[in-house]
C-alpha cells in the first residue's frame, strides 16, 4: 500500500515538476520573445548587445566599452529581452554574460540619471516592471554564468549577482561604488549579496563602498573562479559547456531547490519538503536511465565504481 501511494505521489509530483521546469518563473513585465528555437550558431549585434549561440550555450556581451559598459535604459531593455528569450528557448541550457572591451559593467549610466528620475520610468512594483539594470529582478530557470573582467561595480555588481557562478579575472574589481554618489542598490544587491557571502561581509561592502579584488572575492565566495586576465570568457564558456552536458532536468531541480531554500522557504522542514517533492520525480525521468548507463560502464571515469559512492 505504501509503495502504491509513493508511486502515485511521484507521478503527480513528476507532472508538476515537468511543468515547472519547462516553464519560466516569469513576471508580467518579461518580454513576449518568441519560443521558437534559435539557429545553432551565429553572432548578432543588436544595439548595445552582442549575442552569440554556441550549441546549447547562449553568450551575451554588453557592448558599450566607451562607458565601461554602463547600462542605459535601452541596454537594460535589451538585456531583459535576451535573458527572457534564453529562458524560454528549450534548446538552450546555459547563458554566459560578459562585457566587451575590458570591463564587465560599471553600473547604471549616471548620465541618464542626471536628467532626472522621469527618464528612468522606475517601477516600484517588482512584479510589474524590470529594475533599472534590466533583468536584475528575474529568477531564471536555467544557469547563468558571469565572465567578469575589469570593473563589475554598483549595478554591474548586481548584474554579476544575478548569475549562478562568477568567473573573475585577476585584475578585476567588484564593489558598491554607487555608495559615493548616493545611488541605492535597487537591483537586488541588498537581497542577493547577504545570501551569497553572509550579512557581515555584505554590510562591509554595502556600507563602505570599497573595492574588492578578485582573490578577496574568491575567499568571500563572491567569485567562484579566478583566472588570468583575458581568460574569463574562455573559462566561463568551458564551465558553461560542462554544466550543459549534464542531465538537465536533474540539474535544474537541484538548482531550483537551492534557490527555494535560500530565498523562499520559511523553515528547514519546508525546504526539505520542497527538495523531496521536486527531486523524486527526477528519479523516474532521469535517474533510472542514468543508473543503467552507469551500470553498463558508460561514463564511469576509469576507476570510479559504485563502491565509492
Amino acid at each position: 500500500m505504501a509503495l502504491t501511494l509513493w508511486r502515485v505521489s511521484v507521478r503527480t509530483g513528476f507532472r508538476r515538476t515537468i511543468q515547472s521546469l519547462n516553464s519560466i518563473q516569469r513576471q508580467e513585465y518579461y518580454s513576449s520573445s518568441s519560443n521558437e528555437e534559435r539557429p545553432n550558431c551565429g553572432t548578432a549585434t543588436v544595439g548595445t548587445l552582442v549575442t552569440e549561440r554556441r550549441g546549447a550555450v547562449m553568450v551575451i556581451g554588453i557592448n558599450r566599452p566607451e562607458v565601461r559598459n554602463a547600462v542605459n535604459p535601452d541596454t537594460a531593455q535589451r538585456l531583459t529581452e535576451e535573458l527572457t528569450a534564453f529562458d524560454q528557448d528549450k534548446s538552450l541550457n546555459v547563458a554566459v554574460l560578459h562585457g566587451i572591451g575590458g570591463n564587465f559593467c560599471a553600473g547604471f549610466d549616471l548620465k541618464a540619471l542626471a536628467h532626472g528620475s522621469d527618464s528612468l520610468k522606475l517601477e516600484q512594483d517588482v512584479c510589474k516592471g524590470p529594475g533599472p539594470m534590466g533583468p536584475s529582478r528575474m529568477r531564471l530557470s536555467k544557469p547563468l554564468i558571469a565572465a567578469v573582467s575589469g570593473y563589475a561595480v554598483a549595478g554591474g555588481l548586481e548584474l554579476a549577482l544575478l548569475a549562478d557562478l562568477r568567473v573573475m579575472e585577476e585584475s578585476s574589481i567588484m564593489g558598491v561604488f554607487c555608495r559615493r554618489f548616493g545611488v541605492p542598490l535597487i537591483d537586488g544587491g541588498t537581497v542577493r549579496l547577504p545570501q551569497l557571502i553572509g550579512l557581515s561581509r555584505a554590510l562591509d561592502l554595502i556600507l563602505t563602498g570599497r573595492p574588492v579584488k578578485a582573490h578577496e572575492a574568491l575567499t568571500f565566495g563572491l567569485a567562484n573562479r579566478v583566472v588570468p586576465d583575458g581568460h574569463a570568457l574562455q573559462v566561463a564558456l568551458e564551465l558553461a559547456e560542462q554544466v550543459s552536458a549534464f542531465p538537465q532536468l536533474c540539474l535544474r531541480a537541484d538548482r531550483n531547490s537551492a534557490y527555494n531554500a535560500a530565498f523562499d522557504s520559511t523553515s528547514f522542514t519546508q525546504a526539505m519538503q520542497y527538495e523531496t517533492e521536486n527531486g523524486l520525480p527526477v528519479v523516474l525521468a532521469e535517474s533510472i536511465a542514468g543508473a543503467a548507463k552507469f551500470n553498463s560502464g558508460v561514463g564511469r571515469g576509469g576507476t570510479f565504481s559504485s563502491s565509492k559512492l
Side-chain angles (χ1 to χ4, degrees), residues 10-28:
V10 167
R11 290 192 186 102
T12 302
F14 174 70
R15 290 193 295 270
R16 186 165 56 242
T17 299
I18 294 295
Q19 293 170 356
S20 173
L21 294 176
N22 285 340
S23 65
I24 304 171
Q25 298 171 2
R26 58 174 74 87
Q27 312 292 345
E28 292 179 1

Side-chain angles (χ1 to χ4, degrees), residues 62 64-65 67-71 97-108 133 146-160 167-178 180-181 209-214 229 232:
I62 305 173
R64 303 189 76 216
V67 289
R68 293 180 175 175
N69 291 323
V71 168
L97 179 63
H98 69 109
I100 295 171
N103 289 285
F104 179 74
C105 176
F108 190 81
M133 296 296 295
V148 179
S149 59
Y151 286 97
V153 296
L157 170 62
E158 292 178 293
L159 277 184
V167 178
M168 289 185 68
E169 294 183 356
E170 289 178 334
S171 66
S172 55
I173 293 175
M174 290 183 171
V176 187
F177 281 21
C178 50
R180 62 196 70 179
F181 302 112
R210 67 179 181 85
V212 178
K213 296 182 179 180
D229 290 353

Side-chain angles (χ1 to χ4, degrees), residues 19-209:
Q19 293 170 356
S20 173
L21 294 176
N22 285 340
S23 65
I24 304 171
Q25 298 171 2
R26 58 174 74 87
Q27 312 292 345
E28 292 179 1
Y29 64 82
Y30 288 0
S31 71
S32 55
S33 303
S34 171
N35 284 319
E36 295 180 1
E37 294 184 2
R38 298 184 175 187
N40 256 348
C41 59
T43 302
T45 302
V46 183
T48 55
L49 293 186
V50 175
T51 62
E52 179 183 4
R53 175 163 181 160
R54 300 191 180 192
V57 176
M58 188 66 191
V59 186
I60 303 171
I62 305 173
N63 189 27
R64 303 189 76 216
E66 70 281 0
V67 289
R68 293 180 175 175
N69 291 323
V71 168
N72 61 7
D74 176 65
T75 310
Q77 179 181 349
R78 292 295 302 129
L79 281 169
T80 303
E81 291 171 352
E82 287 298 331
L83 283 174
T84 300
F86 155 72
D87 221 25
Q88 291 176 343
D89 193 328
K90 295 179 182 179
S91 65
L92 291 170
N93 293 334
V94 184
V96 173
L97 179 63
H98 69 109
I100 295 171
N103 289 285
F104 179 74
C105 176
F108 190 81
D109 192 340
L110 294 183
K111 291 181 181 178
L113 184 58
H115 294 299
S117 61
D118 291 341
S119 63
L120 301 182
K121 298 179 181 179
L122 296 174
E123 174 57 61
Q124 289 187 340
D125 189 335
V126 298
C127 295
K128 293 183 178 179
M133 296 296 295
S136 55
R137 295 173 180 173
M138 294 176 71
R139 267 279 285 274
L140 296 170
S141 65
K142 296 182 282 191
L144 172 67
I145 299 174
V148 179
S149 59
Y151 286 97
V153 296
L157 170 62
E158 292 178 293
L159 277 184
L161 295 175
L162 174 65
D164 299 272
L165 302 172
R166 284 152 295 281
V167 178
M168 289 185 68
E169 294 183 356
E170 289 178 334
S171 66
S172 55
I173 293 175
M174 290 183 171
V176 187
F177 281 21
C178 50
R179 177 60 53 239
R180 62 196 70 179
F181 302 112
V183 179
L185 296 170
I186 52 176
D187 279 280
T190 63
V191 178
R192 288 190 170 96
L193 192 61
Q195 284 288 349
L196 192 66
I197 65 174
L199 179 61
S200 180
R201 284 173 168 167
L203 287 175
D204 178 11
L205 306 191
I206 291 170
L207 297 180
T208 68

Side-chain angles (χ1 to χ4, degrees), residues 243-279:
V243 171
S244 180
F246 292 127
Q248 291 298 298
L249 187 62
C250 178
L251 182 142
R252 293 174 196 174
D254 287 347
R255 175 185 179 274
N256 289 341
S257 182
Y259 271 100
N260 176 77
F263 292 103
D264 301 322
S265 294
T266 58
S267 68
F268 174 79
T269 301
Q270 189 180 77
M272 291 292 287
Q273 188 65 44
Y274 183 95
E275 179 188 69
T276 300
E277 289 181 356
N278 288 270

